[in-house]
Structures are given as structure tokens and as C-alpha cells.
Amino acid sequence: MKRSKRALALFVSSSLVLAAVQAGCATEAPQAEAQSSVEAARQASEESTQVVAQQSPEELDRLVAPIALYPDALVAQILAAATYPTEVVEAERWMQQNPGLDGDALAQAVDPQSWDPSVKALTQFPSVLAVMDKNLSWTSSLGDAYVNGQQNVLDAVQVMRQRAQQAGNLKSTQQETVTTQGQTIVIEPTDPEVVYVPEYDPWVVYGDPLAFYPGWVGVPGAFIEGPGIAFGVGIGVFAGFGWGWHHWGTDWHHHDLIHDHDRYISHSRTFTDRNNYGHGHPLLAHPEGVPHGGEFPHGGGFPHEGGFPHPGSLPSGGGAPHGGGFVGAAPSGIHSGAFSGFNHGGVTSAFSSRGSAGIGGSFHGGGGFHGGGGHR
């Protein structure tokens, strides 16, 4: 009898110990998984940091090449919107779902959307929005580079403008005015109420050809073959909205984007400022540019001589598109590759056919207008 009681007690105690061990293991399992996830996220963050930190000035030049010759205010809108890549995707899908809207009707429909003002502003330029959507890897890299080194990015824009000017492919036209102030090249619409989006091949327009961005997809209304620049149909600017054209600009002197006459700060959470960039492009180590107050249409200049107080950038939902081949062949002459774009069917339907007015006639062999004065 005593032996039976002893055996029963031993069995019960063993069962309790086993249960405790199993409970402990069950608790440790999710903790181990959580630690593994944290470690994986940390490693991914470090790898991303290394990639960004390794970007050379030449890589930044190539990164800004598709937009460097756009008017200053459009450059500001694009750089700001690039910090909100998922909103760019959402806005492009919304545009595809509302193809009949334009002008005031489009502005009224866009205004209540929850997107950043820069993304709203780009709905006025469907070709630009489509380029950013179809080249989402490039858009994200541009946004990341801007968050982590806006001075380097803005310096790179100026370097590329100087290269285009030296190649004879950047000068004033009926569509836009190009002025040089020290080392700063300013591009503005000739008519402050009508904007023309320059159309060009970003890999050849700057003189010596650039290696095109991996998987780059050109979009009608933003791309032409050849080393020159063309212009499509002028676009009347949105007015009466705080995100409209006249509320944007670029302060080249202080290396800032301007929104509503103050320094633009992105509040996107997509990218982290890792402070891994230096203090400017080596070719523009001592920029002589001056603030172009009064050059904004209806702008009246900047409110402060010195820098602006820094206010900070990102996305709402709307998952990013998945990789995959470009649906249908890319238009002739448009660079593409194994990663050429995403399955975004129907983008080209958003564009009307448009005539193109080229700069100064022939674009061949270095193009006979050498707008001197670009400093490197």
C-alpha cells in the first residue's frame, strides 16, 4: 500500500515537473521567434543603411537625372512626394479610376484626399505621377536619398543641369526660362500660369551617356528618344488650393524645398534619416547660388534670409505594387530590363496624344546651342 502511494506521488510530481518544463518551452518559443524577427529587421536595416551610405556622387547624379531638368517647383513636388511612395501608388490608381477628370474638376476631387500636398500636386502632371509609379524602386531610392541627404540630392540636380547646359540641351525657350545665378541654374515656366513638362531621355541628354537606372521604364509624356528636350501640351496650374503649383519652390542656396513659403518637412515614416551623407556634392562644395526670392510665380520671395525652422515624412496604406514584368512591351527606345516596372495595366490610357516642340531644331551631335556658364 505504501509502495502504491509512493509510486502515485512520484508520478504526480513527475507530471507537474514535465508540465512546467513544457510550459516554459511554450513561453520561450514565441520569445525566440520575436527575437529572431527583431534581429532580422535590424540586419535588414543595417543592410539598407550600407546601400544608401555607399551611394557615390555619380550614383546620385544618375538618380536625379530623370527629373533634374524639370522646373524648380516640379522638382520640389517630386522630391517631396518620393518620400511617400505608397501614396504615389494610391494616387496613380485613383487617377486611373477617374480618367475623365481634369482642370478644376480634378482639383476639387483631389483636395479632400488624405495624401501629402506634394502627391496631390502631382495629380496635375499625370505623366510624372505615372513615371514615379511605374519606377517604384527608383522613386523609393530617390525619397530615401533625399531624407538622408537633401543637400547632396539638390547639389546633384544642379550638377546635372550644368552638364545639360554644357551639352547644349538646356536653355530658355517659349515654354520655360533658364537663368544662371552663380553656380545655380533656375528653371521656371515662361508663363507662370502654364507648365510644360520637359520630355527627354535622361540617359543621353546630359552629353556623355549615363548608365540607365536598373529596370527604368519610360512613360509617354515624359520621355523621348534622342539627346534633346521636347515639350508636350502646356498644363494650366491649379489655383486656390494650398497644395497647388504656386505653393512650391526650391531654395537652392539653403538646400531646401519650399512649400507655402516655408521649409518643407516630410512627415513620412517610410524612410529613416541615417545621417550618413556628407555635406554636399564634391563638385559643388562651395555653392554660390543665391535664393531666388520673387522667382516663384506670385511668390514674393522667401520670408527669411537664413534657414527655415525645420518642421519632418510617410505613407498610408495601399500596398506597394508587386514586381513583375512590364505588361506589354515598353515603347520603342525606352530602356527596360528584367525588373522593368510593375503590373499596372492601362497607364498609357491616361495620356492624350500630344505634339512635341523640340528645343532649337536638331538634337544631333552635341546640338549647336552651348549655353555657357555652367560651373563644375
Side-chain angles (χ1 to χ4, degrees):
M1 182 70 176
K2 290 182 180 179
R3 281 185 188 172
S4 299
K5 289 183 177 179
R6 231 181 251 134
L8 180 60
L10 181 60
F11 173 76
V12 171
S13 62
S14 298
S15 300
L16 291 174
V17 170
L18 180 60
V21 170
Q22 290 175 336
C25 292
T27 303
E28 289 173 2
Q31 289 177 344
E33 290 178 4
Q35 290 174 349
S36 176
S37 299
V38 169
E39 179 64 17
R42 183 186 66 78
Q43 290 177 352
S45 177
E46 288 179 353
E47 290 172 1
S48 177
T49 298
Q50 291 170 0
V51 169
V52 173
Q54 291 170 359
Q55 280 190 322
S56 66
E58 291 75 21
E59 289 169 330
L60 285 176
D61 292 348
R62 184 175 65 161
L63 191 60
V64 304
I67 65 166
L69 305 185
Y70 287 179
D72 290 8
L74 187 52
V75 169
Q77 293 169 15
I78 292 169
L79 290 178
T83 67
Y84 291 87
T86 60
E87 290 190 7
V88 167
V89 174
E90 290 171 4
E92 171 62 10
R93 299 299 179 279
W94 185 91
M95 292 287 287
Q96 292 181 19
Q97 293 166 5
N98 296 275
L101 294 177
D102 59 16
D104 290 340
L106 175 60
Q108 292 286 350
V110 166
D111 191 50
Q113 302 300 321
S114 61
W115 311 319
D116 185 75
S118 60
V119 177
K120 291 183 180 182
L122 288 180
T123 61
Q124 186 170 13
F125 307 102
S127 62
V128 176
L129 191 62
V131 166
M132 297 179 72
D133 173 59
K134 295 186 75 63
N135 295 282
L136 200 58
S137 173
W138 167 80
T139 298
S140 297
S141 295
L142 184 65
D144 199 4
Y146 177 76
V147 168
N148 283 279
Q150 65 187 55
Q151 176 173 341
N152 288 349
V153 170
L154 291 174
D155 280 351
V157 170
Q158 285 296 324
V159 166
M160 299 312 287
R161 287 183 176 186
Q162 291 165 5
R163 287 182 57 174
Q165 191 178 65
Q166 291 166 2
N169 291 327
L170 180 62
K171 70 172 188 176
S172 294
T173 66
Q174 291 181 342
Q175 292 85 9
E176 63 184 22
T177 300
V178 178
T179 56
T180 302
Q181 303 171 3
Q183 286 186 303
T184 301
I185 297 176
V186 175
I187 303 177
E188 297 174 306
T190 300
D191 180 346
E193 301 301 324
V194 181
V195 180
Y196 292 84
V197 177
E199 302 172 19
Y200 59 90
D201 183 336
W203 320 119
V204 301
V205 74
Y206 298 102
D208 294 336
L210 297 173
F212 67 88
Y213 194 86
W216 177 262
V217 177
V219 169
F223 177 92
I224 61 165
E225 287 190 80
I229 302 175
F231 296 92
V233 176
I235 299 171
V237 299
F238 290 156
F241 300 92
W243 44 266
W245 177 263
H246 295 313
H247 292 264
W248 292 93
T250 306
D251 181 353
W252 300 108
H253 182 63
H254 296 104
H255 297 92
D256 286 326
L257 305 183
I258 302 300
H259 176 241
D260 254 351
H261 305 288
D262 205 351
R263 188 179 192 182
Y264 171 84
I265 301 297
S266 173
H267 297 284
S268 167
R269 298 190 187 99
T270 298
F271 306 110
T272 301
D273 183 355
R274 292 177 289 271
N275 296 312
N276 281 326
Y277 283 90
H279 299 286
H281 197 292
L283 299 180
L284 292 172
H286 303 286
E288 300 295 335
V290 296
H292 45 281
E295 292 177 359
F296 286 49
H298 301 184
F302 300 117
H304 312 296
E305 274 303 313
F308 298 89
H310 240 351
S313 120
L314 176 210
S316 36
H322 27 275
F326 185 89
V327 178
S332 174
I334 292 179
H335 303 294
S336 60
F339 304 101
S340 56
F342 307 90
N343 188 344
H344 295 169
V347 170
T348 55
S349 66
F351 306 107
S352 58
S353 58
R354 52 179 72 196
S356 295
I359 290 182
S362 174
F363 296 138
H364 302 290
F369 25 80
H370 298 279
H375 300 286
R376 296 197 46 109

